[in-house]
Amino acid sequence: MSEQAGRGGQAGRGEARLRAEHLRLGYEGRVVAEDLSLVVPDGSFTAVVGPNACGKSTLLRAFSRLLRPQGGSVLLDGRVLAGYRPKEAARRIGLLPQSASAPEGITVGDLVARGRYPHQGLVRQWSAADEVAVADAMVATGVDELRDRLVEELSGGQRQRVWVAVALAQQTPLLLLDEPTTFLDIAHQVELLDLFADLHEAGTTVVAVLHDLGHAARYATHLVVVDAGDVVAAGPPADVLTAELVERVYGLACVVVPDPVTGTPLVVPRGREERRSR
């Protein structure tokens, strides 16, 4: 692990609710990460970026208990995540997976209501609070008018917003988002990212895997750059996102300029102009 990544991995120790320590992650003999450590600052909007197949989504799967580490630990509130009961963990961590499939014949309203499952039990059954949580999640994501539609009938963008509503209905203090803007047009991308930023400002710790570096820099308070299964940089976007880092990690010649609206870093590829100047 790089020196910079090591410093990022120690930031906020003792304050973070979610932490990865020396993770070894992989699938069926293929190792994706050998020794990955990362602290998610509590109360942050953390964006995880990096090239394709670098380990971003694999890390999020480990954070959400979908993937058991081959070595090392994921810690939640000081306890090993694997030691939590499933419902107990689900009341603390919500997840929007990269790809999700709904049961055949289920309506939007019924699917979003499943986000309340972690809060149900033998004693506590469906309540008015559950109804409000589901309704609020559907309004926030703009799918309330689709309540009675079958999920399988929806467009890819509509389905993505429904799955966001499922995660919001869960009402967890930690929210993990794996490429949440997939299938969405630019207007709905910004709409959802604004929503996640509002949730963050209201106290939710948000961790999102994002491909768009401009979106990551604009919305995140903490940026994590992953490459080849390792955290190579972590910190405020203005400190982390440089032309040198983008070229080293993505192999993309670029300039980084202030966003004219927010002042956050904006990556401008050199593209053909760079090749023509050689």
Side-chain angles (χ1 to χ4, degrees), residues 55-124:
K56 305 183 299 296
S57 293
T58 300
L59 172 63
L60 223 61
R61 287 175 62 83
F63 273 160
S64 61
R65 290 170 52 108
L66 292 179
L67 179 66
R68 181 180 291 274
Q70 298 174 0
S73 300
V74 174
L75 301 178
L76 174 62
D77 292 332
R79 292 171 53 193
V80 175
L81 181 59
Y84 283 83
R85 294 179 179 177
K87 276 193 175 182
E88 187 182 11
R91 287 193 293 269
R92 290 164 170 80
I93 299 178
L95 172 68
L96 173 65
Q98 188 178 102
S99 58
S101 58
E104 186 175 352
I106 194 170
T107 65
V108 168
D110 287 341
L111 182 62
V112 177
R114 294 193 176 195
R116 300 302 296 168
Y117 173 74
H119 302 278
Q120 307 301 309
L122 294 176
V123 176
R124 187 193 182 287

Side-chain angles (χ1 to χ4, degrees), residues 165-240:
V166 175
L168 296 188
Q170 206 168 323
Q171 291 187 322
T172 55
L174 286 156
L175 183 59
L176 308 181
L177 309 165
D178 195 355
E179 300 185 23
T181 55
T182 300
F183 305 121
L184 300 180
D185 59 43
I186 184 62
H188 283 115
Q189 288 180 33
V190 172
E191 186 179 281
L192 270 189
L193 288 167
D194 283 346
L195 171 61
F196 299 142
D198 290 343
L199 289 172
H200 160 247
E201 290 179 359
T204 301
T205 299
V206 176
V207 183
V209 170
L210 297 175
H211 275 297
D212 190 307
L213 294 178
H215 285 164
R218 171 176 284 206
Y219 287 95
T221 61
H222 187 71
L223 188 65
V224 175
V225 183
V226 177
D227 188 25
D230 193 16
V231 176
V232 297
D239 295 342
V240 170

Side-chain angles (χ1 to χ4, degrees), residues 1 5-6 8-11 13 16-23 35-41 46-48 56 59-60 63 73-75 207 222-226 230-235:
M1 178 179 295
Q10 295 297 320
R13 181 171 289 278
R17 300 190 63 181
L18 187 62
R19 175 187 304 129
E21 293 189 344
H22 306 292
L23 291 184
D35 185 17
L36 191 156
S37 293
L38 171 67
V39 165
V40 175
T46 293
V48 182
K56 305 183 299 296
L59 172 63
L60 223 61
F63 273 160
S73 300
V74 174
L75 301 178
V207 183
H222 187 71
L223 188 65
V224 175
V225 183
V226 177
D230 193 16
V231 176
V232 297

